Amino acid sequence: MSDNRPNRLSVFKTYKLYVGGKFPRSESGRVYEVTDSKGKWLANAPQSSRKDARDAVVAARKAFGGWSGATAYNRGQVLYRVAEMLEGRRDQFVREVAEAEGLSKSRAAAVVDATVDRWVWYAGWTDKIGQVVGGANPVAGPFFNLSTPEPTGVVAVLAPQESSFLGLVSVLAPVIATGNTAVVVASAASPLPALSLGEALATSDVPGGVVNILSGRTAEIATPLASHQDVNAIDLTGADPALAKELEVAAADNLKRVLRPQPVDGEGAPDWSADPGTHRLTAFLETKTVWHPTGALGVSGSSY
């Protein structure tokens, strides 16, 4: 029997949103065409609606208690498992990144490798960031004064428009590494690597709802997220200056924590391959300070 099948129809991938650990189509039923750097059609991506954004917030809030309550060491194990899944899907991501960003296969492979390494790097920080930004404070009096970081809550993340995978992971991983849950708005022009990331997350140990991924028009999705009363913070990295200003005003309605777009010199985009530092890990942490007397039951010199 011949293996040649010239009349076989191509099986095109159906991309879906990732919300609450499931893969719904957009509530609106809308899709939009995604093309490569040369204008060639790649796929139809879901065009998320305001209702999809609200559903994603509900899922993120539901998952927050369990994820923030997990030990930092356990979160690190879970995130490392995600890196394993990304490594296993390396060829798929290389193809999608090459098509999305107009890169050669070798260059796309380097980007994917850097992305997996970035995920591992943040996984390693889960049980260390508390010691960096927390600790005992010197006070005048018979007290212990201890500060410890806690996650802010539900964070809306506008992924970079120009870096569909490395930039995406660079803004998402630190949010969930520190115990927050996330609603991600993927790059409007290049959403496919982000939607495929949802598939890797679903087959890892990350609980459903910790990460929720939406695709579509950035302004249409981000506007209800910025004003949503149950969103605690927003990362404006993927917003243009005009949209960022509008969203920052909307976020002030319930005093959200806002991370402004990273400034760049000249016309260039941020260098996502550079050392990320810890500023994104601390951007969505709150500091809780506890006072405790050094004496017990009035006995001087006792301590716990």
Side-chain angles (χ1 to χ4, degrees):
M1 178 182 292
S2 173
D3 290 332
N4 295 326
R5 293 176 290 180
N7 296 323
R8 184 174 182 269
L9 296 175
S10 298
V11 179
F12 294 105
K13 182 173 180 177
T14 301
Y15 287 89
K16 297 182 181 180
L17 308 177
Y18 183 58
V19 177
K22 300 179 180 180
F23 296 94
R25 290 180 168 84
S26 173
E27 172 273 338
S28 66
R30 300 176 299 172
V31 297
Y32 69 101
E33 290 188 356
V34 178
T35 60
D36 64 14
S37 59
K38 297 180 180 178
K40 179 184 176 182
W41 179 88
L42 295 175
N44 290 333
Q47 187 166 310
S48 302
S49 66
R50 290 171 176 261
K51 175 65 163 53
D52 293 317
R54 292 194 296 269
D55 289 345
V57 173
V58 170
R61 177 57 62 190
K62 184 177 180 180
F64 176 70
W67 183 243
S68 62
T71 65
Y73 178 74
N74 178 245
R75 285 200 300 271
Q77 290 179 308
V78 170
L79 293 188
Y80 187 82
R81 174 62 176 166
V82 175
E84 293 178 355
M85 303 309 295
L86 297 181
E87 188 74 20
R89 290 171 173 257
R90 182 176 182 275
D91 290 345
Q92 173 191 350
F93 283 112
V94 168
R95 183 185 70 254
E96 291 181 337
V97 169
E99 293 173 339
E101 301 181 26
L103 302 177
S104 66
K105 184 177 180 180
S106 60
R107 177 58 184 150
V111 170
V112 172
D113 289 344
T115 302
V116 177
D117 292 347
R118 180 65 47 85
W119 198 284
V120 172
W121 192 82
Y122 277 118
W125 270 103
T126 57
D127 58 354
K128 301 174 183 66
I129 192 64
Q131 287 72 45
V132 173
V133 299
N137 305 310
V139 294
F143 301 99
F144 288 129
N145 182 268
L146 305 174
S147 294
T148 182
E150 293 187 344
T152 297
V154 175
V155 181
V157 179
L158 276 58
Q161 299 295 326
E162 75 291 340
S163 182
S164 62
F165 199 37
L166 178 56
L168 165 70
V169 166
S170 295
V171 297
L172 169 61
V175 170
I176 61 174
T178 48
N180 299 286
T181 55
V183 177
V184 179
V185 182
S187 165
S190 306
L192 303 187
L195 298 177
S196 291
L197 174 62
E199 297 173 2
L201 293 170
T203 52
S204 71
D205 300 326
V206 177
V210 170
V211 178
N212 305 274
I213 301 175
L214 306 174
S215 60
R217 297 190 180 97
T218 300
E220 183 176 351
I221 309 169
T223 299
L225 291 175
S227 60
H228 199 297
Q229 296 297 301
D230 206 24
V231 172
N232 304 108
I234 186 168
D235 182 345
L236 300 177
T237 296
D240 61 48
L243 178 60
K245 183 177 181 179
E246 177 184 333
L247 297 178
E248 191 167 357
V249 171
D253 191 46
N254 72 331
L255 299 178
K256 287 180 179 63
R257 178 169 287 211
V258 175
L259 182 62
R260 296 171 178 83
Q262 180 178 338
V264 295
D265 296 329
E267 300 296 327
D271 181 6
W272 296 108
S273 64
D275 183 345
T278 60
H279 77 282
R280 286 191 174 275
L281 286 164
T282 59
F284 302 114
L285 287 174
E286 308 291 340
T287 300
K288 179 177 73 176
T289 300
V290 177
W291 293 75
H292 194 286
T294 56
L297 300 176
V299 179
S300 176
S302 299
S303 62
Y304 292 100

